[in-house]
Amino acid sequence: MTATKGYDVIVVGCGSVGNPTAYHLANAGLRVLVIDKRSAAGQGENKTAIGGVRATHSDPGKISAGLESIKIISTWQEKYGFDIGWKPGGYCFPVYDEYIENTLKGLLPYQKGYGLKIDWVGPEEIKEIIPGITPDGLRGGTYSPLDGQVSSILLPIAFQREATRCGAVYHFNETVTGYLRQGDRITGVMTDKDSYCSEWVVLAAGADAAEHSALLNIDIPVTPDSHEAGISAPIEHFLAPLVVDLRPGPEGKTANFYFGQNKEGQIIFCYTPRELFIGTNRESLSEFLPVLSGRMISLIPKFKNLLIRRIWRGCYPMTPDGVPIIDHAPGLRGLILAVGMCGQGLMLGPGIGKNIASMIINSKPCISEEAHACFRCDRDLDAAKTETLK
Ligand SMILES: Cc1cc2nc3c(=O)[nH]c(=O)nc-3n(C[C@H](O)[C@H](O)[C@H](O)COP(=O)(O)OP(=O)(O)OC[C@H]3O[C@@H](n4cnc5c(N)ncnc54)[C@H](O)[C@@H]3O)c2cc1C
């Protein structure tokens, strides 16, 4: 097949990572084509995210990308006049258990070393940060006031709008089915409608990334596992931070759970199942709401009056060690892998997009080499070294 339409960069996937990548590249003057099989920006896993944005991680790669993301997200409205639902208010991990206290306290020097504003605060302060929290056994917790929340519905519109203004071209309802190559160089993509050539291709296909292993003859170790979430009707604003309770639930179903109140006043929530649901099944389970509401009410009893509007299920594109892969594809020039965002693609996407643009434009990442090394595809992917704050 002869490809006639040429671009500097083709981005495969217009999700949490591909869309901001296109924005950064187009903003720097490159000719960019974004292709997505779905009908609009951010309609894959992106829109299933509950909107948490933190730099509070436990490895330098995610911390650096998270800090870049927060800079971009928190100043977006001021810069472009477009409301993306940014709500500063931080992240709070309340603690009732000695083991979790020691784990979180152990991370603090490291996190502070990477410039994070985060501290351990006592139970009285936690009661002010999370009004109505159950006081019995509360030991304190960590609080990082510069983290926040954003709308996973508005963010993709914002990035597409600005990328388009800079000349990026978006093709929706079009599936990438193969790659053009000359020797060891990827020179473009084939789709179910046409073919396009380019200097660079960025693969940002989310939970479907592993399907490209066979097309490219490389191993892309991304496994989807599905998670449920939900949202309430709006209530009066009372909760500033996104709250993460790292305790496994007494019901035996939940490994941890987290929730926040978005800019519209809705409570938005999610839990990590103790036994992961591997695969892309997106049907809601009848057990999700009873289990989740049990946990929410035991932490904040006044949640018993919450009216739930809807629930949904989406996928984490998981890597074995819980850290994304952002790297040149092994043995293939011209292809960058931007896959395996796990449970954090929305918050890392803007920063990772900036990093990928720098890899293409400046031939090096914009975060430090040490931080970027966390994302390399030849790292030790041993699951036993899984990142603490997944
Ligand atoms: C319940 C839940 C809550 C979450 N909460 C948060 C949160 O609070 N904060 C956070 O940061 N993250 C959160 N996440 C994780 C986040 O949603 C994902 O990490 C992120 O969306 C993945 O980004 P991505 O760009 O890799 O994938 P996606 O956003 O899914 O984008 C990939 C795109 O590629 C397209 N595509 C795939 N294959 C092809 C092809 N062959 N041709 C063309 N297009 C293709 C897809 O249609 C899709 O649009 C949550 C996830 C779930 C399930």
Side-chain angles (χ1 to χ4, degrees):
M1 199 180 293
T2 316
T4 49
K5 300 156 214 73
Y7 294 89
D8 294 318
V9 187
I10 294 172
V11 181
V12 181
C14 185
S16 301
V17 177
N19 198 17
T21 301
Y23 156 77
H24 288 295
L25 289 164
N27 204 24
L30 273 68
R31 292 168 305 143
V32 181
L33 170 65
V34 189
I35 302 174
D36 201 293
K37 64 184 178 183
R38 291 187 165 90
S39 59
Q43 296 303 300
E45 307 322 321
N46 175 88
K47 72 172 177 186
T48 70
I50 69 163
V53 178
R54 63 180 156 97
T56 316
H57 297 282
S58 50
D59 79 78
K62 286 191 195 180
I63 292 173
S64 303
L67 285 170
E68 287 293 342
S69 286
I70 289 175
K71 270 190 235 159
I72 295 163
I73 290 173
S74 64
T75 54
W76 190 276
Q77 185 165 7
E78 192 186 325
K79 193 166 174 189
Y80 294 117
F82 188 92
D83 182 2
I84 53 171
W86 169 245
K87 183 190 160 203
Y91 256 68
C92 185
F93 289 62
V95 172
Y96 291 84
D97 144 332
E98 190 182 355
Y99 174 76
I100 296 174
E101 176 173 341
N102 291 339
T103 304
L104 293 180
K105 280 184 171 170
L107 284 171
L108 286 176
Y110 183 78
Q111 291 174 320
K112 287 180 178 181
Y114 281 98
L116 291 179
K117 188 166 162 52
I118 180 166
D119 241 316
W120 179 265
V121 295
E124 290 311 312
E125 206 170 325
I126 293 285
K127 283 190 249 171
E128 281 170 27
I129 296 168
I130 309 174
I133 191 167
T134 300
D136 300 342
L138 181 62
R139 304 167 74 95
T142 59
Y143 179 50
S144 48
L146 300 183
D147 295 331
Q149 288 166 255
V150 74
S151 163
S152 62
I153 309 292
L154 294 173
L155 195 59
I157 300 170
F159 277 118
Q160 185 189 352
R161 197 172 96 146
E162 289 311 316
T164 305
R165 198 179 54 74
C166 298
V169 176
Y170 283 73
H171 286 195
F172 293 112
N173 297 311
E174 187 164 346
T175 303
V176 171
T177 54
Y179 291 85
L180 304 172
R181 54 197 294 174
Q182 278 172 4
D184 66 354
R185 175 169 276 283
I186 295 295
T187 56
V189 303
M190 289 175 278
T191 75
D192 54 354
K193 295 190 176 155
D194 210 336
S195 60
Y196 311 88
C197 51
S198 60
E199 201 63 26
W200 290 92
V201 174
V202 177
L203 177 61
D208 302 322
E211 291 172 11
H212 296 247
S213 295
L215 299 177
L216 291 160
N217 205 18
I218 54 172
D219 181 32
I220 303 179
V222 174
T223 309
D225 73 62
S226 74
H227 294 245
E228 286 182 273
I231 193 163
S232 75
I235 57 173
E236 199 173 312
H237 281 279
F238 82 102
L239 184 64
L242 204 134
V243 178
V244 185
D245 184 343
L246 287 174
R247 286 174 296 174
E251 76 301 300
K253 301 274 184 190
T254 57
N256 59 54
F257 77 110
Y258 46 102
F259 58 92
Q261 185 170 26
N262 67 16
K263 204 174 174 188
E264 286 75 40
Q266 295 166 287
I267 304 296
I268 187 162
F269 48 82
C270 188
Y271 71 66
T272 306
R274 205 177 284 190
E275 276 186 38
L276 293 178
F277 299 110
I278 306 297
T280 53
N281 188 340
R282 286 180 167 79
E283 283 174 34
S284 293
L285 298 180
S286 57
E287 72 179 25
F288 173 68
L289 260 189
V291 169
L292 193 277
S293 48
R295 292 220 60 178
M296 299 266 287
I297 293 165
S298 77
L299 191 71
I300 301 187
K302 66 181 170 187
F303 275 154
K304 70 177 186 296
N305 298 315
L306 215 51
L307 176 66
I308 304 304
R309 273 219 174 133
R310 70 183 178 95
I311 58 172
W312 63 87
R313 196 160 158 202
C315 295
Y316 285 11
M318 289 305 295
T319 56
D321 63 355
V323 179
I325 295 170
I326 314 295
D327 203 356
H328 297 278
L332 288 173
R333 288 184 297 141
L335 177 67
I336 291 180
L337 302 177
V339 299
M341 296 302 131
C342 308
Q344 293 134 11
L346 186 76
M347 64 180 85
L348 297 177
I352 283 178
K354 186 172 171 193
N355 208 41
I356 294 169
S358 179
M359 287 165 73
I360 290 175
I361 296 162
N362 307 316
S363 307
K364 59 175 190 182
C366 64
I367 60 174
S368 73
E369 287 291 346
E370 183 213 358
H372 185 71
C374 300
F375 298 140
R376 287 177 60 113
C377 51
D378 62 357
R379 68 182 186 259
D380 180 3
L381 281 157
D382 186 351
K385 302 203 186 92
T386 294
E387 210 238 341
T388 316
L389 302 179
K390 271 198 292 180

